């Protein structure tokens, strides 16, 4: 798995008649797990369809795993998997038969298809339900079957469109955990979701679209602002705040939550000592993390 | 592979084996088309209709050949209740109509309604590959429907003929090109139209109904209008007798006597006109279906 | 009650989509169409016999029940299928008002369509014979039958998605076989109530003529009116009880 | 009365309520109540959450026990529905109506006096904007959801029942609706929201009712519920320099059950999260360890829910 970008776009644009879906899109996405976020109509689905070769861009170009998404569509499609958001499962056959079929559709010979389908169905947690027709499946079981067909042929990259939609908390937990483990399987991931918390938990890079443009494309890690301390105080927050201000720190308080920053001293030491001296406690403390939501809102508002 | 050590997750083994890509995908879709049409790997009730039609097409030939064997005095050419290879097409022709009316919608409509096209669009298949392979599955089954009984009869006749099995096989060899040509004509006359209607209709039952309706109402209407000679140019209505064309071309290929209710004959058209109509509708349907699927996938 | 009127008008708008309007419009023109066709082929038969033939064979036994069935069954059926029942029921409105408004909406559409059919037929007859005395009677007869059929099919639509199938079975089995066999039941037959309404208002020589088209055992106009109102009231009462007591999933 | 499942001034009450369909018991002997503020209603699929919501609205009758909305059983005194707004999970919109017509219809049925003003206000509140005059059949899931919220709000109800209200909405719309529901709660309305996305429920609600296999599994404020799980110690992740010294010192504290050390990261197990929060700053100062992060790992609603379901 070389470090070359798995997905690139060069001045990518697409318009349906007068409606501009994508405009001047540029990015180089590294291997790993990439989150694709954006408001409704920001161009997420259009981008995925271009990368899958379903739609041809009006200008510019995109590459997937080094292949041009439009001219080398077949090369791309034999190396990727896709979990669509909408219903996409035939209802009258069993999950086992369907996933074997999906493996065959990726070109795997019959025996390999049967073997891998069985492994993958166990992996996604469909032990005995796999032999029942998909018609009677719950939303959770359908989502697992969709994921199974997307990775049954061991793709290098998989596109997941709203993978946790309609799942209950336990189902969501298992799906997010499966997505996080895909890296360990040697599979890159582009996951599109409206639940930013899910993206934060599973991805290490985020591509943010707004109105058909790239708002932001960067690693998720450095969203942390190291020299500001966010602390939730147990006990008398005001006293702690006063103590910090006395020690020369700038404090922004909202109820028990304090944001402490200093130019001179080390904020972490200040907070520690302030808490120790006032006898108050902390429920949580750490560098101020701008959540994906803050970045998203500040971006799409402007 | 780079020298970096990678510890793979316990539950996952990467696939290093052979990947057929586009060729494999097309082969799989082709096989699935045939399974789907016969309800293989699907609930029992999906198997009832197709298999009963298979029996309907093959049973008469087997009974006839079997019967002739028993009586052995039975001279095949003269006394066959169905006549020779040509006449037998009247049986399989009708059965094929019913079969295609069910198989066409079964092949295309569920994939669209259930959104499975989204998965085909993520596999190494172009829209033309998908629709071409679906058509291939249908044509294969239709051809099989017609050829199997013919082969049965061909061998049966040879075995029963007075001047020995192998010499009979050789003597009747001129029948073979006629059988193949007629099979092609029936296939082209029914399959493309069924696929066209299955591309437009959104429900299987509706598509089957429309297909059979177009065929029989078309022919009935054509027959009636051809009679109404008072109306100028009514003879061109005969072109609408869709289910009639293949039979008329079959009569021509096997130069059988044309029956009285042959609409095209009554309208004074030559058989090649029927062949032209079949070809035009086949080509037009295919173009429309391919164009539609290029936009869907 | 503003809410009642809102339910009724929304129901009418729901039941009368453009496509349905066209399909039903054409269906309603069938009796008039056949009537005109018959003037070409059976010129010698008297216009009245042809009209009564249409009324007794096509309009009351087939057209009115089928149109009313499809419209009435989806009055409540659509709400259940689209999941909008909770939207309708969780309202500070007595259940009886909801039932009445829904029933009213269904009747307005069904009777409206069937009256259109009746007028088309009697106008065609009027053009040919110059006698316009049958327009109102057939319209009223059609309305009676629509109301009685709606009384059966509106609650039926709530209970089962297959209301249309069951309704059709009812129309063919009950109306034709059972009623003729057990004449006691005839007073309940929507067909008879409709025809009684028609013959009650029509000039009496028409009522006499009607007898040999199977129009036997007809009640007076007043009785037909009373029965229509009674059956409608029972139906609305039943729907009210259902809305009040049954689980609405 | 300190049972966390009950509130002082309840507007919606369940008293020993049960519901069964044939042999399947969907809800069994649930006693709880809801009052002003936002209450999260949680439970795995098939746990009886939807059945309970349907009982709360009066759509279905309890097989045993009773349900009171503002003191009455709604089905027999429907006038109470003027104060109830429901956003159901299923489609529940009239495809042939536009959003504005749909909201107006809701206002008229709810007996609102000035229908036009209420409709306009409700559509603004959910920021539906221009598409308000397009037919609902052409709506995306997110927009249809907002139309349903507007229809529920138009009659200014005192009680709001929301079944998966954020389904299909995008991040901007989600935040907008979360703030809206919070505001409605602080205004003193009874907001009952059922959702599977727990961190959003956590942000919206100040108390939760959890239903597992039809039974009341937990009730009250998330932190209190977690505390009540005395059999499961808290896990806290601490980042600090000279972590081994800090770890050794922490082990001397009685409230610390165990510490595991990684380079620069401590995982501490304790029975009392608040006490640990008080001791760590003091202890760190003693050994002059610079603590840069102190995050409980299993005190969130998601962890609480996982422990509840696994019990």
């Amino acid at each position: 798995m070389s470090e070359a970008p798995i997905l690139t776009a060069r001045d990518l644009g697409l318009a349906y008649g007068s409606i501009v879906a994508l405009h001047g899109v540029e990015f180089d996405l590294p291997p790993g797990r990439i989150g694709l976020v954006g408001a409704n109509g920001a161009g997420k689905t259009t981008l995925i369809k271009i990368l899958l070769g379903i739609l041809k861009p009006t200008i510019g170009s995109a590459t997937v795993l080094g292949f041009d998404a439009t001219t080398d569509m077949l090369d791309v499609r034999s190396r990727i998997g896709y979990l669509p958001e909408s219903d996409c499962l035939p209802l009258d056959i069993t999950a086992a038969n369907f996933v074997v079929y999906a493996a065959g559709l990726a070109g795997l010979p019959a025996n390999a298809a049967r073997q891998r389908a069985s492994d993958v169905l166990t992996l996604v947690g469909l032990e005995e339900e796999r032999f029942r027709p998909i018609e009677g499946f719950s939303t959770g079981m359908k989502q697992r079957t969709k994921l199974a067909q997307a990775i049954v042929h061991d793709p290098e990259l998989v596109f997941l469109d709203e993978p946790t939609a309609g799942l209950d908390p336990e189902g969501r937990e298992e799906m997010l955990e499966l997505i996080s483990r895909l890296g360990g399987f040697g599979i890159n991931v582009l996951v599109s979701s409206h639940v930013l918390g899910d993206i934060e938990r599973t991805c290490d890079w985020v591509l943010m679209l707004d109105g058909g443009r790239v708002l932001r494309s960067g690693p998720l890690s450095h969203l942390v602002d190291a020299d500001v301390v966010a602390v939730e105080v147990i006990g008398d927050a005001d006293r702690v705040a006063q103590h910090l201000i006395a020690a020369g720190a700038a404090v922004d308080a909202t109820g028990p939550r304090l944001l402490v920053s200093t130019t001179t001293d080390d904020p972490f030491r200040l907070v520690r000592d302030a808490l120790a001296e006032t006898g108050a406690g902390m429920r949580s403390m750490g560098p101020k993390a701008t959540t994906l939501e803050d970045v998203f809102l500040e971006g799409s508002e402007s | 592979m780079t020298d970096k050590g990678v510890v793979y997750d316990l539950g996952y083994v990467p696939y290093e084996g052979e990947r057929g890509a586009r060729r494999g995908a097309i082969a799989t879709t082709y096989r699935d088309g045939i399974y789907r049409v016969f309800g293989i790997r699907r609930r029992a009730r999906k198997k009832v209709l197709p298999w009963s039609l298979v029996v309907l097409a093959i049973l008469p030939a087997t009974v006839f050949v079997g019967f002739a064997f028993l009586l052995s005095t039975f001279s095949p050419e003269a006394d066959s209740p169905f006549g020779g290879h040509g006449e037998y097409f009247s049986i399989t022709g009708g059965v094929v109509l019913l079969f295609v009316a069910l198989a066409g919608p079964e092949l295309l409509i569920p994939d669209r309604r259930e959104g499975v096209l989204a998965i085909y669009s993520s596999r190494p298949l172009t829209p033309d590959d998908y629709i071409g392979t679906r058509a291939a599955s249908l044509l294969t089954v239709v051809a099989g429907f017609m050829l199997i009984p013919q082969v049965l009869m061909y061998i049966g006749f040879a075995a029963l003929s007075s001047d020995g099995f192998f010499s009979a096989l050789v003597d009747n060899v001129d029948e073979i090109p006629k059988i193949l040509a007629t099979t092609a004509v029936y296939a082209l006359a029914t399959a493309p139209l069924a696929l066209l209607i299955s591309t437009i209709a959104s429900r299987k039952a509706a598509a089957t109904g429309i297909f059979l309706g177009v065929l029989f109402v078309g022919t009935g209407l054509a027959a009636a209008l051809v009679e109404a000679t008072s109306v100028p140019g009514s003879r061109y209505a005969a072109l609408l007798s869709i289910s009639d064309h293949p039979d008329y071309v079959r009569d021509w290929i096997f130069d059988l006597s044309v029956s009285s209710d042959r609409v095209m004959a009554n309208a004074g058209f030559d058989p090649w006109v029927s062949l032209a109509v079949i070809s035009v509708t086949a080509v037009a349907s295919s173009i429309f279906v391919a164009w539609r699927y290029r936009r869907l996938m | 009650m503003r809410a009642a009127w809102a339910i009724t008008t929304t129901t009418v708008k729901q039941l009368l989509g453009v496509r349905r309007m066209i399909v039903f419009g054409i269906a309603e023109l069938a009796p008039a169409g056949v009537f005109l066709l018959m003037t070409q082929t059976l010129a010698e038969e008297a216009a009245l016999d042809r009209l009564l033939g249409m009324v007794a064979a096509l309009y009351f036994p087939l057209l009115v029940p089928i149109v009313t069935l499809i419209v009435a069954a989806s009055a409540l059926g659509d709400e259940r299928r689209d999941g909008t029942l909770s939207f309708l029921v969780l309202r500070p409105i007595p259940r009886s008002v909801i039932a009445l408004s829904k029933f009213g909406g269904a009747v307005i559409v069904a009777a409206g369509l069937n009256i259109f059919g009746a007028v088309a037929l009697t106008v065609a007859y009027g053009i040919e014979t110059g006698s316009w005395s049958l327009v109102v009677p057939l319209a009223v007869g059609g309305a009676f039958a629509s109301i009685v059929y709606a009384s059966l099919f509106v609650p039926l639509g709530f209970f089962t998605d297959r209301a249309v199938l069951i309704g059709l079975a009812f129309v063919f089995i009950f109306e034709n076989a059972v009623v003729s066999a057990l004449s006691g039941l005839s007073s309940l037959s929507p067909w008879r109530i409709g025809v009684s309404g028609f013959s009650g208002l029509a000039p009496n020589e028409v009522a006499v003529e009607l007898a040999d088209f199977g129009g036997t055992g007809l009640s007076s106009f007043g009785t037909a009116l009373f029965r229509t109102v009674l059956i409608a009231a029972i139906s609305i009462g039943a729907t009210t009880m259902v809305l009040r007591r049954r689980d609405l999933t | 009365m300190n049972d966390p499942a009950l509130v002082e001034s309840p507007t919606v009450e369940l008293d020993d309520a049960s519901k069964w369909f044939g042999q399947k018991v969907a809800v069994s002997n649930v006693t709880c109540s809801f009052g002003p503020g936002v209450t999260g209603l949680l439970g795995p699929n098939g746990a009886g959450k939807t059945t309970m919501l349907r009982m709360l609205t009066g759509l279905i009758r309890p097989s045993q026990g009773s349900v009171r909305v503002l003191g009455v059983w709604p089905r027999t005194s429907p006038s109470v529905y003027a104060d109830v707004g429901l956003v159901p999970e299923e489609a529940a919109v009239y495809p042939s109506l536009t959003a504005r017509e749909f909201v107006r219809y809701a206002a008229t049925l709810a007996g609102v006096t000035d229908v036009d003003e209420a409709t306009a206000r409700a559509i603004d509140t959910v920021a539906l904007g221009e598409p308000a005059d397009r037919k609902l059949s052409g709506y995306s899931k997110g927009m249809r959801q907002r139309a349903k919220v507007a229809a529920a709000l138009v009659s200014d109800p005192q009680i709001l029942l929301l079944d998966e209200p954020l389904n299909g909405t995008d991040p901007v719309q989600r935040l907008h609706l979360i703030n809206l529901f919070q505001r409605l709660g602080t205004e003193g309305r009874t907001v009952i929201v059922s959702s599977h996305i727990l961190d959003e429920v956590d942000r919206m609600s100040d108390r939760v009712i959890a239903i597992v296999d039809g039974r009341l599994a937990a009730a009250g404020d998330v932190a209190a519920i977690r505390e009540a799980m005395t059999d499961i110690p808290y896990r806290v992740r601490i980042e600090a320099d000279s972590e081994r010294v800090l770890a050794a010192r922490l082990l001397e504290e009685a409230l610390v059950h165990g510490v595991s050390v990684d380079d620069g990261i401590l995982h501490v197990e304790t029975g009392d999260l608040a006490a640990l929060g008080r001791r760590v700053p003091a202890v760190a100062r003693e050994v002059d360890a610079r603590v840069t992060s102190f995050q409980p790992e299993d005190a969130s609603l998601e962890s609480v829910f996982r422990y509840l379901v696994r019990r």
Side-chain angles (χ1 to χ4, degrees):
Chain A
M1 202 75 72
S2 66
E3 287 314 317
I6 53 171
L7 289 164
T8 70
R10 291 292 173 268
D11 184 26
L12 189 65
L14 185 133
Y16 301 101
S18 61
I19 306 157
V20 176
L22 287 176
H23 179 65
V25 168
E26 294 271 344
F27 55 68
D28 289 80
L29 306 180
R33 294 188 300 278
I34 298 144
L36 174 61
V37 294
N40 281 350
K44 295 202 304 284
T45 314
T46 309
L47 177 62
I48 290 183
K49 281 191 171 158
I50 290 175
L51 297 175
L52 283 170
I54 298 171
L55 286 177
K56 237 169 75 58
T58 30
I59 57 168
S61 69
T63 69
V64 178
L65 303 168
F67 296 95
D68 181 276
T70 317
T71 52
D72 315 332
M73 169 180 66
L74 294 178
D75 297 304
V76 169
R77 287 188 179 183
S78 48
R79 287 169 177 73
I80 54 106
Y82 176 49
L83 189 159
E85 181 201 4
S86 54
D87 287 339
C88 63
L89 301 175
L91 302 178
D92 55 355
I93 58 174
T94 68
N97 280 337
F98 171 65
V99 176
V100 170
Y101 179 55
L105 276 183
L108 268 62
N111 298 344
R114 195 173 306 110
Q115 180 59 39
R116 282 204 61 82
S118 156
D119 293 348
V120 152
L121 281 166
T122 312
L123 189 70
V124 297
L126 283 175
E127 270 69 19
E128 68 292 336
E129 304 96 333
R130 68 179 73 180
F131 300 114
R132 296 215 308 268
I134 294 173
E135 209 162 8
F137 272 30
S138 68
T139 316
M141 287 151 70
K142 280 184 182 164
Q143 290 296 105
R144 291 169 205 265
T145 310
K146 279 192 203 175
L147 181 63
Q149 68 80 24
I151 58 175
V152 67
H153 53 306
D154 187 20
E156 284 176 49
L157 164 65
V158 67
F159 296 111
L160 309 177
D161 199 348
E162 297 289 345
T164 58
L167 299 180
D168 72 4
E170 223 177 330
R172 280 170 46 75
E173 198 70 29
E174 280 158 19
M175 178 62 82
L176 293 177
E177 207 227 318
L178 267 172
I179 294 172
S180 309
R181 284 171 59 192
L182 288 179
F185 307 163
I187 302 178
N188 294 293
V189 178
L190 177 78
V191 54
S192 160
S193 173
H194 281 323
V195 185
L196 299 182
D198 290 357
I199 299 282
E200 273 167 344
R201 279 174 51 180
T202 52
C203 300
D204 38 43
W205 187 282
V206 70
L207 176 65
M208 207 178 278
L209 295 182
D210 185 49
R213 278 188 181 64
V214 174
L215 190 60
R216 174 191 180 76
S217 168
L220 258 174
S221 54
H222 70 67
L223 289 174
V224 173
D225 182 345
D227 49 21
V228 175
V229 177
V231 55
E232 188 180 345
V233 175
I234 300 175
D236 185 346
D238 296 340
R239 234 173 111 231
V240 174
Q242 297 317 332
H243 193 285
L244 282 165
I245 291 169
V251 177
D252 169 3
T254 41
R257 288 186 178 75
L258 308 181
L259 288 177
V260 180
S261 57
T262 68
T263 49
T264 55
D265 211 326
D266 162 20
F268 289 99
R269 246 184 248 289
L270 273 179
V271 166
R272 182 199 65 191
D273 297 347
L275 287 173
E277 279 143 29
T278 56
M282 58 183 171
R283 191 168 164 61
S284 67
M285 186 270 286
K288 171 175 174 293
T290 42
T291 64
L292 192 53
E293 192 173 84
D294 308 332
V295 172
F296 188 86
L297 292 171
E298 152 229 316
S300 61
E301 227 101 65
S302 58
Chain B
M1 280 295 282
T2 63
D3 49 17
K4 241 169 50 178
V6 171
V7 175
Y8 283 111
D9 193 291
L10 264 184
Y12 190 81
V13 173
Y15 176 67
E16 304 305 340
E18 182 236 340
R19 283 172 185 273
R22 185 180 195 180
R23 200 173 35 72
I26 289 177
T28 309
T29 312
Y30 175 72
R31 195 176 50 244
D32 170 72
I34 295 174
Y35 280 5
R36 211 178 241 284
V37 156
F38 287 110
I40 298 170
R41 287 212 191 115
R42 283 171 174 70
R43 268 197 295 283
R45 64 184 161 79
K46 291 243 167 152
K47 299 180 170 66
V48 170
L49 271 177
W51 287 101
S52 44
L53 289 175
V54 167
V55 166
L56 213 59
I58 291 176
L59 198 60
T62 38
V63 162
F64 158 63
V65 170
F67 204 52
F69 254 112
L70 294 175
L71 296 179
S72 75
T73 56
F74 203 79
S75 86
E77 279 309 335
D79 319 307
S80 142
F82 325 101
H85 292 287
E87 290 81 352
Y88 198 79
F89 274 103
S90 300
I91 299 175
T92 50
V95 170
V96 154
L97 277 190
L98 290 177
F99 188 84
V100 165
L102 294 165
E106 177 61 39
L107 276 170
L108 296 187
I109 292 181
D111 279 348
R112 271 204 325 270
R113 270 178 66 81
E114 289 158 356
V116 188
L117 288 185
I119 290 184
Y120 285 103
S121 308
S122 69
R123 288 301 200 265
L125 281 169
T126 65
D128 293 349
D129 293 343
Y130 170 78
I131 196 71
T133 312
R134 283 302 194 212
S137 303
L138 185 60
L139 290 172
T140 309
V141 173
V142 162
F145 248 87
M146 289 193 260
L147 289 179
I148 291 170
Q150 295 292 343
V151 165
L152 219 64
M153 285 166 65
Y154 192 81
I155 294 168
F157 288 168
L160 290 166
S161 80
S162 46
D163 45 29
F165 180 69
F166 290 103
S167 51
L169 278 186
V170 170
D171 294 350
N172 294 337
V173 80
D174 57 358
E175 293 284 304
I176 293 175
K178 291 188 205 163
I179 295 174
L180 295 177
T182 312
T183 303
V185 163
Y186 274 95
L188 278 182
T190 52
L193 189 61
L195 292 179
L196 173 69
I197 292 170
S198 306
T199 304
I200 300 166
S202 62
R203 279 210 168 61
K204 280 194 275 191
T208 305
I210 295 170
F211 178 75
L212 293 177
V214 161
L215 250 50
F216 295 118
V217 166
T219 309
L221 201 66
L225 285 173
V226 166
E227 251 72 43
T229 47
S230 61
V231 175
S234 67
R235 72 192 273 275
Y236 290 103
L239 301 182
L240 286 176
S241 59
I242 298 159
S243 64
D244 209 42
H245 291 305
D247 297 336
Y248 191 36
V249 172
R250 180 277 313 270
D251 298 346
W252 176 44
I253 292 179
F254 284 90
D255 56 50
L256 305 171
S257 61
V258 176
S259 73
S260 60
D261 60 12
R262 195 63 73 216
V263 176
M264 286 294 280
N266 304 344
F269 285 110
D270 295 337
W272 64 266
V273 174
S274 283
L275 192 59
V277 168
I278 292 174
S279 319
V280 164
T281 45
V283 168
S285 310
S286 314
I287 291 171
F288 174 80
V289 168
W291 170 76
R292 186 92 173 74
Y293 269 82
R294 281 203 193 114
R295 289 160 49 98
L296 276 175
M297 290 174 76
Chain C
M1 268 285 275
R2 242 167 0 107
W5 179 245
I7 297 176
T8 309
T9 44
T10 306
T11 304
V12 168
K13 182 186 257 189
Q14 246 184 312
L15 296 177
L16 214 51
V18 173
R19 219 153 41 127
R20 254 190 191 173
M21 184 114 79
I22 296 168
V23 168
F24 283 136
I26 295 167
E28 290 291 340
L29 292 176
V34 173
F35 176 83
L36 292 172
L37 259 175
M38 283 160 71
T39 45
Q40 257 70 27
T41 50
L42 302 161
E44 69 297 344
E45 222 191 298
L48 180 59
D49 292 343
R50 276 185 271 113
L51 175 84
L52 294 182
M54 278 299 99
V55 165
L58 181 58
Y59 184 72
F60 278 110
L62 274 177
L63 185 63
V64 168
I66 289 176
V67 166
T68 308
L69 161 67
I70 293 173
V71 165
S74 56
L76 279 174
D78 283 358
E79 302 269 1
R80 211 160 53 78
R81 202 189 57 246
D82 292 346
T84 50
L85 207 55
S86 61
F87 178 90
L88 187 65
V89 163
L90 305 186
R91 295 300 168 190
I93 312 166
R95 307 301 99 176
S96 49
V97 166
I98 297 177
L100 179 65
S101 319
K102 268 290 160 184
F103 183 78
V107 162
I108 290 172
V109 174
L113 287 167
N114 289 328
I115 288 172
F116 168 66
V119 166
L121 178 59
T122 44
V123 159
Y125 174 73
I127 292 169
E128 189 189 327
T129 62
S131 144
W132 301 93
S133 60
L134 294 184
V135 175
V136 170
L138 189 58
V140 168
F144 279 9
S146 307
I147 292 170
V148 177
Y149 276 121
S151 309
L152 297 170
F153 297 142
V154 168
L156 192 69
F158 174 82
F159 283 102
T160 161
D161 289 345
R162 291 198 169 40
V164 180
L165 285 182
I166 297 170
L168 286 176
F170 163 80
V171 165
F172 294 113
I173 297 164
F174 176 77
E175 279 296 359
N176 306 340
V178 167
V179 164
S180 44
L182 312 162
S183 58
L185 280 176
S186 69
S187 57
L188 288 179
S189 142
W191 185 89
R192 274 204 168 36
I193 294 175
V195 174
S196 309
F198 167 55
S199 70
L201 285 181
N204 48 33
E205 83 273 6
V206 168
V208 166
E209 195 71 35
L210 200 55
D212 49 33
F213 281 87
T216 54
L218 296 179
S219 68
S220 69
F221 177 79
T223 322
L225 174 65
F226 170 73
R227 283 187 186 142
T228 303
V229 170
L230 182 68
I231 292 173
I234 295 169
S235 163
I236 293 170
T239 312
T240 305
M241 286 318 298
V242 163
L243 290 178
R244 186 167 289 144
R245 301 191 58 73
R246 236 176 89 82
D247 283 352
L248 307 172
T249 51
Chain D
M1 173 183 60
N2 53 18
D3 173 353
L6 304 173
V7 292
E8 286 78 27
S9 51
T11 49
V12 178
E13 299 154 277
L14 278 110
D15 181 12
D16 192 26
S18 298
K19 179 69 185 179
W20 44 78
F21 303 101
Q23 296 317 320
K24 181 179 183 305
V25 178
V27 173
S28 54
N29 312 100
V30 169
T31 301
C32 71
S33 61
F34 303 84
V38 181
T39 307
L41 183 61
L42 315 174
N45 281 348
K49 188 161 54 76
T50 311
T51 308
M52 208 169 121
L53 260 176
R54 287 229 172 86
M55 276 204 287
L56 290 181
T57 55
L59 276 174
I60 56 177
R61 169 190 302 279
S63 314
Q64 173 204 305
S66 72
V67 172
R68 289 275 170 282
V69 175
L70 297 174
V72 295
W73 166 237
R75 283 286 281 280
T76 39
S77 38
S79 56
V80 79
Y81 281 130
D83 269 319
V84 173
L86 167 72
V87 177
E89 196 208 345
E90 65 276 4
V93 286
Y94 295 91
S96 53
L97 297 183
T98 70
R100 195 177 301 280
E101 285 162 352
F102 177 63
V103 178
R104 265 179 72 79
Y105 188 31
T108 317
L109 295 188
V112 166
T113 44
D114 183 341
V115 169
D116 293 329
E117 186 274 332
T119 305
R121 189 165 40 74
I123 286 183
D124 279 348
T125 326
V126 294
L128 208 49
E130 167 276 333
D133 297 307
R134 277 215 319 263
K135 283 231 182 328
L136 285 167
S137 47
Y139 267 40
S140 74
K141 218 167 155 214
M143 290 201 307
R144 199 178 329 129
Q145 209 61 20
R146 283 189 287 152
K148 279 162 41 178
V149 171
L153 290 180
V154 75
S155 51
D156 200 13
Q158 202 199 341
I159 296 168
L160 252 169
L161 292 132
L162 312 169
D163 194 352
E164 301 286 348
L166 302 179
N167 242 348
T169 53
D170 73 30
V172 178
Q173 297 158 348
R174 298 181 95 81
L175 194 66
H176 181 79
L177 286 175
I178 289 175
N179 293 341
L180 171 64
F181 298 144
Q182 268 168 328
R183 198 173 74 245
L184 293 172
T186 44
E187 282 168 9
R189 294 174 208 273
T190 304
V191 180
I192 302 171
V193 60
S194 148
S195 168
H196 286 316
I197 300 172
L198 299 184
D199 65 354
E200 283 171 353
V201 172
D202 206 0
R203 277 165 50 184
M204 276 193 265
S205 58
D206 21 43
R207 72 190 277 267
V208 289
I209 300 272
I211 303 289
V212 177
D213 299 333
R215 308 191 72 78
L216 192 57
D221 154 82
V222 179
I225 296 174
R226 178 63 181 88
E227 233 170 286
M229 295 176 171
T230 48
D231 53 342
I232 308 170
Y234 288 93
R235 276 174 54 81
V236 178
R237 182 178 178 285
I238 301 176
E239 279 178 38
D241 59 7
S242 55
E243 68 284 1
R244 291 203 177 279
V245 173
L246 181 61
R249 183 62 188 70
L250 278 176
L251 272 172
E252 292 158 18
E253 299 288 321
L255 53 93
V256 171
H257 297 174
V259 178
S260 72
V261 185
D262 228 335
D263 50 9
I265 295 172
L266 302 182
H267 289 282
V268 178
E269 274 197 12
T270 175
D272 182 345
L273 182 61
L276 187 69
R278 263 190 203 82
R279 286 304 298 153
V280 163
V283 164
R285 202 155 71 95
E286 269 168 45
V287 301
D288 190 31
R290 178 172 179 270
V291 175
T292 54
S293 170
F294 176 94
Q295 302 294 351
E297 288 181 302
D298 62 354
S300 71
L301 180 57
E302 253 145 7
S303 323
V304 166
F305 187 86
R306 197 167 28 266
Y307 292 145
L308 278 177
V309 171
R310 212 163 282 154
R311 237 179 232 292

